[in-house]
Amino acid sequence: MGVSAAPSSNKLLATLPPAIYERLKPNLKLVPLELGASVYEAGGKQPYVYFPANAIVSLLYVMQDGASAEIAVVGTEGLVGISLFMGGETTPSRAVVQSAGQAYRLRSKLLQQEFAIGGALQHLLLRYTQALITQMAQTAVCNRHHSIEQQLCRWLLLSADRLPTNEINMTRNSLPTCSGCGARA
């Protein structure tokens, strides 16, 4: 696993007011995220949220026939599991580790309780959710209107922006597929 990442490696955790961070800190557990591992499955219960410290997780929308398309990527800027504080117990998306690393895991019930208090944490998570929705909209437009080469460039830049170094570790199978034809970038 290498060197352990500090909670401040995640920008959401680093931005929390000290009092909120101190309430959450004893419940944050550093866990490894292995390349290709599923963080959660579509329709499944999500007992935890994950704050990536030096990993990237792809959010994939899963259709009834099992086909999927990447809708967003989450790295050190965010968290995996927004549906848990937005009122849902499950989600139609699947979360898969795109670039191995570590994340801080927190029981979803604890985040839900803190979110319900309102204030700084709720505001921060709602702003993050707005940014994630914007990324999803940009991904949809890119997938519809850009060439496979342009999609790959965008995906590489999104990945590079979310890693602590310029090194991206991935396999050919972890590259996104074209939503129109299924070809790998």
Side-chain angles (χ1 to χ4, degrees):
M1 185 172 3
V3 177
S4 292
S8 61
S9 300
N10 180 280
K11 292 172 181 62
L12 287 179
L13 292 176
T15 306
L16 289 174
I20 296 171
Y21 176 74
E22 289 302 319
R23 282 195 303 267
L24 295 178
K25 184 179 176 181
N27 299 294
L28 292 169
K29 180 180 181 193
L30 185 64
V31 295
L33 296 180
E34 296 182 16
L35 181 64
S38 175
V39 176
Y40 62 77
E41 292 293 332
K45 292 284 184 185
Q46 299 175 39
Y48 301 101
V49 294
Y50 295 83
F51 296 88
N54 54 15
I56 299 175
V57 177
S58 290
L59 303 182
L60 307 166
Y61 188 88
V62 181
M63 295 179 277
Q64 284 184 330
D65 66 0
S68 64
E70 184 175 77
I71 55 173
V73 292
V74 178
T76 60
E77 84 292 349
L79 71 92
V80 176
I82 66 165
S83 64
L84 294 168
F85 62 82
M86 296 297 292
E89 291 294 320
T90 64
T91 179
S93 64
R94 177 177 190 236
V96 178
V97 179
Q98 171 185 306
S99 183
Q102 301 166 316
Y104 280 89
R105 185 176 75 185
L106 180 68
R107 287 210 171 276
S108 56
K109 293 291 182 204
L110 293 172
L111 187 66
Q112 289 168 332
Q113 290 167 357
E114 193 67 44
F115 186 86
I117 294 170
L121 176 83
Q122 185 183 74
H123 183 71
L124 180 65
L125 293 181
L126 289 174
R127 284 190 1 239
Y128 170 70
T129 301
Q130 174 64 39
L132 190 63
I133 291 168
T134 300
Q135 182 192 154
M136 290 175 179
Q138 289 171 338
T139 298
V141 170
C142 179
N143 289 345
R144 173 69 175 94
H145 295 288
H146 295 149
S147 70
I148 193 75
E149 291 84 6
Q150 291 170 315
Q151 291 178 46
L152 177 60
C153 288
R154 180 177 184 279
W155 186 80
L156 288 170
L157 289 170
L158 283 171
S159 297
D161 284 349
R162 285 161 175 76
L163 291 172
T165 69
N166 289 330
E167 185 176 322
I168 300 174
N169 296 315
M170 66 183 71
T171 65
R172 185 179 191 293
N173 287 339
S174 65
L175 290 173
T177 56
C178 174
S179 60
C181 67
R184 290 231 178 259

